[in-house]
Amino acid sequence: MTETERAVDDAGRARAAGGDPGRTAPRRWRPAAWARRARRDELGVLLVLGLLVAAIGIPYPDFLDSGNLLSTAHNSVYISLMACGMVFALAMREVDLSVGGGYAMCLVVGALLVREGTAPWLAVPVMLLTGIVLGVFNALVTTVLALPSFIVTLGTLMLYRGVGLALADGKQITDLPLDDSFFTLAGGDLAGVPFALWVLLAVVVLLAVALARTRFGARVRAIGSNPDAAAFSGIPVVRTRVQALALSGLTTACAAALALAFYGAGDPTLGQGYELQAIAACIIGGTPLAGGRGSVVGAVAGAMILSVVAAGLVFFEVPINWTSFATGGVILAAVAADSVLRRTGRRRR
């Protein structure tokens, strides 16, 4: 029995016993099962990431310079944060295509607040709340209109980006107090490592635990595994959808706050195509579009693979026009490998 099937089974037993199915206690941790699941979902993509770094670093040793590796990792932070939230949506058979537009809108909101005199650190909670509201709006429209989240978030992608462009009057928002600690600390380094990477590490730890070890994570996986069975067993599908898409909006807003600190300006044109890269990172990292499972660590590794590929093309002096081609090839290879592994696993069983 899979972990998601266990979650549905637990909820069903609680319902039959007259308890609250939304408050079933998580099953006792089994180290061996957890290790097998981690090995399957994450070690493979981490191995690919290591081999890719080695393949570039052997002919070009400068690529392995600590400064370059930290810069490459930092370049993946914004996509990585979006992918962390996207894992929860994909794991329950939802998708959030609005993250690119939400990222730009949150960035503009934060920049406008700072320019109008709000302390930068106080603008951050407003940005995070804005991201949550955008995610909740996606979920409510999806639920009320009974439309696929793919269609709804495709519309809100353009809606949020349009609002950001309108608020910024189509121009970059500058004249911010760059000497403030928000820009010097959050936009700089801490202990020799970009501050954004420390934030990413904290988010990965929190969300990996949330997906694997909390009731919310069990509900997400149960709904993605079998939505009808999850609803029948009493799992609050609508509430979980709202929570998952709100989380996606929150991680997107977190990425926007870090981008504001790093770039020191609010550019409403940023974030174009980020939604597809975030989804690609999740798929590369082992989160299938079919739902039922996901890996936060794998999604971040997938985002870093995309960043390493882009950086590697520069070292190999490949024209920048081939970046999209290489990224598409990596995605196709990852999907094909996942399909082969699934078929092999079914034959062994």
Side-chain angles (χ1 to χ4, degrees):
M1 181 182 291
T2 66
E3 194 71 20
T4 50
E5 289 169 340
R6 290 193 188 101
V8 174
D9 187 51
D10 286 346
R13 285 199 299 271
R15 185 170 183 262
D20 179 4
R23 294 187 176 275
T24 55
R27 295 180 63 88
R28 186 164 54 89
W29 183 45
R30 291 183 173 85
W34 181 88
R36 286 195 298 271
R37 190 161 61 249
R39 202 160 47 237
R40 181 181 66 243
D41 292 342
E42 298 161 0
L43 292 188
V45 68
L46 291 173
L47 177 62
V48 171
L49 176 60
L51 291 175
L52 188 58
V53 170
I56 301 172
I58 291 173
Y60 297 98
D62 288 345
F63 182 80
L64 300 178
D65 179 74
S66 60
N68 181 71
L69 290 178
L70 286 174
S71 177
T72 301
H74 181 261
N75 290 338
S76 74
V77 163
Y78 312 117
I79 301 299
S80 293
L81 286 169
M82 294 180 194
C84 286
M86 188 76 71
V87 164
F88 288 79
L90 293 178
M92 64 179 299
R93 300 191 187 184
E94 304 289 348
V95 65
D96 187 359
L97 288 175
S98 71
V99 293
Y103 170 83
M105 180 177 168
C106 291
L107 182 61
V108 167
V109 167
L112 285 173
L113 287 172
V114 174
R115 191 178 68 179
E116 295 303 316
T118 303
W121 288 110
L122 294 180
V124 173
V126 179
M127 297 174 70
L128 298 181
L129 180 60
T130 300
I132 293 173
V133 170
L134 298 183
V136 170
F137 179 77
N138 287 336
L140 293 179
V141 174
T142 299
T143 301
V144 172
L145 299 183
L147 291 173
S149 56
F150 176 88
I151 300 298
V152 172
T153 57
L154 180 61
T156 55
L157 163 65
M158 294 179 280
L159 176 66
Y160 298 159
R161 184 170 294 281
V163 171
L165 284 167
L167 290 175
D169 197 23
K171 298 179 293 186
Q172 191 178 72
I173 301 170
T174 55
D175 298 327
L176 306 183
L178 301 183
D179 57 344
D180 187 272
S181 62
F182 172 73
F183 295 99
T184 57
L185 175 60
D189 294 349
L190 179 63
V193 176
F195 182 85
L197 287 176
W198 291 114
V199 174
L200 176 62
L201 177 61
V203 170
V204 168
V205 172
L206 289 173
L207 295 189
V209 171
L211 183 61
R213 300 304 309 152
T214 65
R215 295 188 188 96
F216 171 59
R219 292 172 191 163
V220 165
R221 290 180 281 110
I223 294 170
S225 179
N226 192 326
D228 294 333
F232 179 76
S233 66
I235 291 177
V237 176
V238 173
R239 187 171 70 191
T240 306
R241 178 187 296 124
V242 171
Q243 292 170 339
L245 291 179
L247 179 59
S248 179
L250 175 61
T251 57
T252 297
C254 182
L258 291 173
L260 177 62
F262 181 72
Y263 294 116
D267 190 341
T269 65
L270 288 178
Q272 296 186 23
Y274 279 17
E275 58 282 343
L276 298 181
Q277 292 186 55
I279 293 173
C282 293
I283 295 173
I284 292 171
T287 301
L289 293 175
R293 64 185 177 90
S295 170
V296 175
V297 174
V300 173
M304 290 194 175
I305 285 175
L306 296 178
S307 182
V308 168
V309 168
L313 293 178
V314 174
F315 276 84
F316 283 106
E317 299 182 353
V318 176
I320 193 171
N321 294 333
W322 286 91
T323 301
S324 295
F325 173 85
T327 302
V330 170
I331 295 171
L332 287 176
V335 172
D338 181 69
S339 177
V340 170
L341 291 174
R342 283 171 175 272
R343 287 198 298 269
T344 302
R346 283 197 294 266
R347 291 195 201 100
R348 289 177 178 174
R349 287 195 296 269

